[in-house]
Amino acid sequence: MKNEFYCYVIFMMNKKASMQLRQEQRVWLQNVQNEINDKLGIDSFLVQPIQRLTRYPLLLQQFISEFYKSGISCKPVLTSVCKLETRMRRLLEVVNQAEDVPTIDEIAELNLAAQGYFRRATDFEAYHHRSRKKYAAKVFLFDRCLICTEVRKRRLAYRHRYEWSTLELQLNGSKSITVALRKHDAAPKLEYELTAQEASTVTQWLRCARKIIEIERVEAAMRGKFMLPMDLVLMVGAAIWLIWNYL
């Protein structure tokens, strides 16, 4: 299913560049605004959708509250609305996290569009086995890869990028995760120990990572397989039925 709300994530990942471009073209944009008699301007046009997004969970929460007060007994509807409200809050969380993506050093060299959808950013205390260094880290999960960065005041120093097909994740206690590289003829090679302050942070992060890995595994298994379009399958099935019944 196409993610119709991902445009908000894309906007936040490009917010800094957008603000810079608008500042550079301020005079031209002001002239266009005057020509079309637009009282709000392009800033309002860009910011309002994000502001509206924050109101959706509040609106759904109010709907749930009024639903309870009315005494209406319709559990399927209430269950669906509660699930939607939870998903909207998760989306809002991801949108807010996406603003950190462009602060990664060298992010432009990674071809951000090729990494797939951005899914989550989480703060950890990281220990890198190869360098034997420990530092505050922010780990970004994309559909195609995991990117580890070091937190340095107002910027994020790029450290490592791993494709999901090369990784093994293991829960090492309630607040710690072991990240290892797969080896064909040897035991996995330890890369990182990621430690969070709260066990719930690790649980959410690991659930998201494993979901991405499973989707990647299914997509990899489907690559190279010949698949007939559904319309063609239905037409062939209808033709067989007609031949069987009328010939």
Side-chain angles (χ1 to χ4, degrees), residues 179-192:
V179 179
L181 282 175
R182 294 177 181 172
K183 296 293 182 179
H184 293 293
D185 301 323
K189 184 178 180 180
L190 297 180
E191 279 291 302
Y192 274 101

Side-chain angles (χ1 to χ4, degrees), residues 105-215:
D105 292 348
E106 305 176 32
I107 192 64
E109 300 177 13
L110 292 175
N111 187 3
L112 192 59
Q115 312 309 318
Y117 279 7
F118 167 69
R119 298 299 182 183
R120 178 176 290 272
T122 306
D123 292 310
F124 289 104
E125 283 295 324
Y127 175 76
H128 186 232
H129 287 274
R130 282 187 291 164
S131 63
R132 297 182 180 180
K133 290 183 178 180
K134 186 176 182 180
Y135 50 81
K138 187 178 286 287
V139 180
F140 295 82
L141 304 186
F142 291 84
D143 281 349
R144 299 286 177 263
C145 66
L146 176 153
I147 295 177
C148 188
T149 66
E150 180 180 353
V151 179
R152 290 188 174 182
K153 295 183 179 179
R154 295 185 179 181
R155 69 184 184 93
L156 299 173
Y158 171 80
R159 286 292 170 257
H160 299 94
R161 175 190 177 278
Y162 305 100
E163 293 187 1
W164 290 111
S165 58
T166 66
L167 290 183
E168 285 190 7
L169 305 177
Q170 180 180 351
L171 184 62
N172 184 24
S174 62
K175 298 181 180 180
S176 180
I177 301 167
T178 298
V179 179
L181 282 175
R182 294 177 181 172
K183 296 293 182 179
H184 293 293
D185 301 323
K189 184 178 180 180
L190 297 180
E191 279 291 302
Y192 274 101
E193 296 293 332
L194 304 175
T195 305
Q197 294 183 352
E198 301 291 337
S200 59
T201 301
V202 171
T203 301
Q204 293 172 6
W205 187 91
L206 200 57
R207 184 187 299 118
C208 181
R210 285 174 172 170
K211 184 177 180 180
I212 295 172
I213 291 173
E214 179 61 21
I215 293 174

